[in-house]
Amino acid sequence: MKLKVFNFAIIFLLSIVLWVVGPQPLFAQQTLYPSHFVVGNPYSNFDLSPDGRKVVITDNSLRQTRVLIKSVDPNTADRFLDINDARPLAAQWATNERLIVPVMTVTDMKLPKGIYAVHDNKRDKYLRNIVTARMPAIDEDGSNPVMMFEKTSKALQLNINLAQLVSPLIKDPDHIIMSAFDKTLGVYKVNIQTGKAKRLSAGRSDTRAWHVNPDGIPNMRIDARDDFRKARVYARLDGTKRWKKIKTIEHQDIRGIIPLPAMDDPNAFYIAARPDGQDRTGIYHYYPDNGRFGDPVFTHPNYDLDSPVFSASGDYMGARYIENRKIYDSQNDVHTQAMARLRLELRDDISVDILDTSDDMSVWLISLSGPTEPGRVAIFNIKTAALTTIHIINSKLKPKDLTVPKPVNFTARDGTPLSGYLTRKNGVAASAPLIVMPHGGPESRDYWSYDLIAQYFVSQGYQIFQPNFRGSSGFGEAFVKAGHREWGGLMQDDITDGVQHLIATGQANQGNICIAGSSYGGYAALMGAVKTPALYNCAVAINAPSDFGRYD
């Protein structure tokens, strides 16, 4: 709801400013309004059952969050799971009949002997009205609820959060792997039928996270101090007991760790990394015994790795990178053939995100999005090539209402090749008002995605330019670092050079241009008005950092 209001506010603000300072585009039959683009999305956290026949969804359409179970068979009615008074945060299939559901609940927590709280100037053995997170397992019909860690030590019961799932276990569906704090953050094997937990490994005083292999054996541990700026990664190969520190990384790089044994080498892990001497992130073999990177499993000459792709059982399937849309480099015959058949059902601008798969990989739960697709969740059956939609985020818009951006390549004043996207609706002249929209971050990038603000203004006859200036991510480390300490410098010049390219090639008219953005894009809008005031008729900055003296 807050995001919906925020998007309405941005559209309203931009519309007012553009109406005041610039000529309105003459575009007949303007039948689309902000309400067509800004819609609520009550569904989240989709998860596919192991047999691929059911999907569980978090439903926020009412004031009380609910868990919705939807069958892939359209002839089977939807049903809701009763969680009593607890508020579900998500839901996930543990087996074909049983779910684990992290919930938020308010409870009175009994303190250890000799420790008291104070309420109304009186000693109390309980902490009152404490918000906690817990993880019940429950059958899909609402029967047999059992709380994870239910029969464990009092120290564990004092955890505010006892809902930290590390991994399900495909080979042992009656158990899951969880982490919990008992003096240190340990990792536990928990029975979803009884709630009983067995500790597999105890962490150190500064342990923050655990990973396990597909058999549920802890194989990687991440330690970090309280400031969490740096994290130390420890690993051990299957069959060994000794933990070995493999590297110290920045906190934001933790997601690059892939603690799965390499299928073709028992002495190595797969790791997403950028080894010394390499410019782009890829997937590599990593040997923890000597800290050596082996041969690359995946690299791309132009783009960073976006995401690795593994099967539910942990087998490497391929990698994904972003060109104009998300593209899969499949290294598995089944995955290659399935993706090829799926692409036949989709428009070229649509990206695919694989949310989940059945255990046998025959059914995929996927998310589809792109400039002409505001968002759709679907089931893809590999055997039949049937694509079945189960949720549409915005049914008010049709593909004909939306426009695919045109890739634009240009050269900066110092010779650096750059790129961006120009979005203009068919039938709109190049003389139409241009809105320059630098992205936020600044370490992010624009590509073929659904941008409701850009699409709204394009539908009203404006054209939108979104440049990927130096400092943008996805194009390698050198391109990112070229933007370091260049706020208002080379990064701003890149935006200016992109606009000048459009003017020089007859794709925009000087004197009819506005620059607008949020976060770093808002800073770039303000700096555009400062450095090149003659280039822009207006500048709109939203949530823009502007007073850097306060950060000294």
Side-chain angles (χ1 to χ4, degrees):
M1 185 63 183
K2 291 181 180 179
L3 181 61
K4 183 177 179 180
V5 172
F6 179 71
N7 286 325
F8 259 122
I10 291 177
I11 289 176
F12 177 77
L13 174 62
L14 274 171
S15 298
I16 293 297
V17 173
L18 292 168
W19 182 81
V20 171
V21 303
Q24 288 298 96
L26 299 176
F27 194 63
Q29 299 179 346
Q30 292 183 7
T31 57
L32 296 176
Y33 302 96
S35 58
H36 288 90
F37 293 83
V38 184
V39 298
N41 179 27
Y43 289 173
S44 60
N45 302 312
F46 295 77
D47 192 71
L48 185 68
S49 61
D51 61 9
R53 296 182 178 181
K54 294 165 289 190
V55 179
V56 63
I57 306 166
T58 306
D59 179 2
N60 297 291
S61 58
L62 301 178
R63 296 183 67 179
Q64 176 67 35
T65 305
R66 301 180 295 176
V67 174
L68 172 64
I69 299 174
K70 182 183 285 286
S71 174
V72 174
D73 180 0
N75 298 316
T76 302
D78 297 346
R79 61 190 188 278
F80 289 96
L81 181 66
D82 185 9
I83 311 291
N84 297 322
D85 295 329
R87 177 187 175 188
L89 302 174
Q92 182 174 332
W93 295 99
T95 69
N96 289 318
E97 297 80 27
R98 197 156 174 81
L99 295 149
I100 49 175
V101 186
V103 299
M104 184 182 294
T105 183
V106 178
T107 187
D108 294 336
M109 185 177 291
K110 189 174 182 179
L111 294 168
K113 185 177 181 180
I115 299 177
Y116 300 91
V118 177
H119 295 112
D120 298 326
N121 295 320
K122 296 180 180 179
R123 292 199 309 179
D124 194 333
K125 295 180 180 179
Y126 290 84
L127 285 174
R128 303 290 180 179
N129 299 319
I130 301 299
V131 178
T132 62
R134 293 293 186 261
M135 179 90 83
I138 188 170
D139 289 350
E140 62 177 306
D141 62 2
S143 62
N144 301 317
V146 173
M147 195 68 71
M148 303 298 95
F149 294 104
E150 188 170 41
K151 299 177 181 178
T152 52
S153 68
K154 292 182 179 180
L156 278 173
Q157 292 302 319
L158 287 173
N159 274 259
I160 297 297
N161 185 359
L162 273 181
Q164 299 181 74
L165 178 69
V166 175
S167 177
L169 291 178
I170 292 177
K171 298 178 181 179
D172 183 6
D174 282 337
H175 291 87
I176 57 177
I177 304 298
M178 301 181 68
S179 61
F181 192 85
D182 183 357
K183 298 181 181 179
T184 62
L185 185 71
V187 61
Y188 296 80
K189 186 175 184 178
V190 187
N191 189 302
I192 66 168
Q193 307 295 341
T194 66
K196 292 182 178 180
K198 177 184 178 181
R199 189 168 70 179
L200 302 177
S201 187
R204 295 173 31 164
S205 61
D206 57 356
T207 296
R208 306 294 182 179
W210 291 92
H211 293 282
V212 297
N213 70 8
D215 294 318
I217 299 172
N219 64 352
M220 192 167 287
R221 190 186 81 227
I222 297 173
D223 297 350
R225 294 177 181 172
D226 289 341
D227 61 15
F228 222 94
R229 292 182 180 179
K230 298 281 188 179
R232 300 180 306 284
V233 181
Y234 294 82
R236 64 182 183 187
L237 291 168
D238 292 355
T240 64
K241 295 183 178 181
R242 179 171 171 265
W243 290 97
K244 180 178 178 61
K245 180 181 175 181
I246 61 174
K247 65 186 309 186
T248 299
I249 60 175
E250 299 289 339
H251 173 226
Q252 63 267 23
D253 294 331
I254 289 176
R255 69 182 185 89
I257 302 295
I258 313 169
L260 288 173
M263 293 184 295
D264 54 354
D265 192 334
N267 297 311
F269 287 113
Y270 291 121
I271 189 169
R274 186 187 294 112
D276 292 343
Q278 300 297 319
D279 184 52
R280 292 173 177 82
T281 302
I283 301 175
Y284 291 82
H285 291 97
Y286 184 81
Y287 296 88
D289 283 348
N290 55 24
R292 180 178 63 87
F293 285 98
D295 295 332
V297 180
F298 166 82
T299 57
H300 192 278
N302 300 318
Y303 305 104
D304 285 315
L305 168 76
D306 179 55
S307 176
V309 182
F310 290 92
S311 71
S313 59
D315 294 331
Y316 177 71
M317 308 297 286
R320 189 178 71 194
Y321 62 94
I322 300 177
E323 192 176 51
N324 291 322
R325 60 168 168 80
K326 296 176 181 178
I327 297 177
Y328 288 86
D329 180 80
S330 299
Q331 298 298 313
N332 173 278
D333 290 342
V334 173
H335 190 276
T336 300
Q337 295 169 12
M339 190 58 69
R341 296 182 74 178
L342 176 58
R343 290 301 326 173
L344 294 175
E345 304 295 323
L346 304 175
R347 297 182 298 279
D348 189 56
D349 65 294
I350 305 302
S351 286
V352 177
D353 284 287
I354 302 174
L355 304 180
D356 200 2
T357 68
S358 59
D359 282 355
D360 65 0
M361 290 290 293
S362 67
V363 180
W364 293 3
L365 177 67
I366 59 175
S367 173
L368 306 173
S369 63
T372 63
E373 174 55 77
R376 180 161 46 117
V377 179
I379 294 291
F380 180 61
N381 188 306
I382 293 177
K383 295 178 181 179
T384 65
L387 183 65
T388 305
T389 296
I390 63 172
H391 176 54
I392 297 174
I393 292 177
N394 187 346
S395 60
K396 296 180 180 180
L397 294 172
K398 307 302 178 186
K400 66 179 180 60
D401 299 323
L402 304 168
T403 305
V404 179
K406 180 183 76 171
V408 175
N409 296 306
F410 60 99
T411 303
R413 63 193 67 183
D414 64 357
T416 300
L418 299 169
S419 63
Y421 295 91
L422 180 67
T423 313
R424 181 197 305 145
K425 198 169 184 66
N426 288 336
V428 173
S431 59
L434 174 71
I435 304 173
V436 181
M437 289 181 56
H439 60 71
E443 288 189 26
S444 63
R445 62 159 295 186
D446 281 308
Y447 60 98
W448 279 349
S449 61
Y450 176 67
D451 186 326
L452 71 88
I453 295 172
Q455 290 291 339
Y456 168 74
F457 282 102
V458 168
S459 76
Q460 304 304 300
Y462 294 90
Q463 48 183 341
I464 302 290
F465 178 52
Q466 296 169 290
N468 283 317
F469 40 82
R470 270 171 277 201
S472 301
S473 61
F475 302 96
E477 183 181 33
F479 195 77
V480 169
K481 287 188 173 180
H484 288 182
R485 298 184 177 275
E486 290 295 339
W487 285 41
L490 287 176
M491 297 168 72
Q492 195 68 36
D493 293 342
D494 290 349
I495 297 170
T496 302
D497 293 345
V499 177
Q500 295 288 9
H501 168 79
L502 296 181
I503 295 172
T505 54
Q507 299 180 80
N509 277 3
Q510 187 160 357
N512 207 10
I513 303 172
C514 178
I515 183 168
S518 63
S519 187
Y520 175 80
Y523 168 87
L526 294 175
M527 190 55 72
V530 171
K531 290 192 70 173
T532 52
L535 188 59
Y536 301 112
N537 293 63
C538 68
V540 179
I542 302 163
N543 292 339
S546 57
D547 188 358
F548 288 98
R550 300 185 65 181
Y551 294 92
D552 289 344

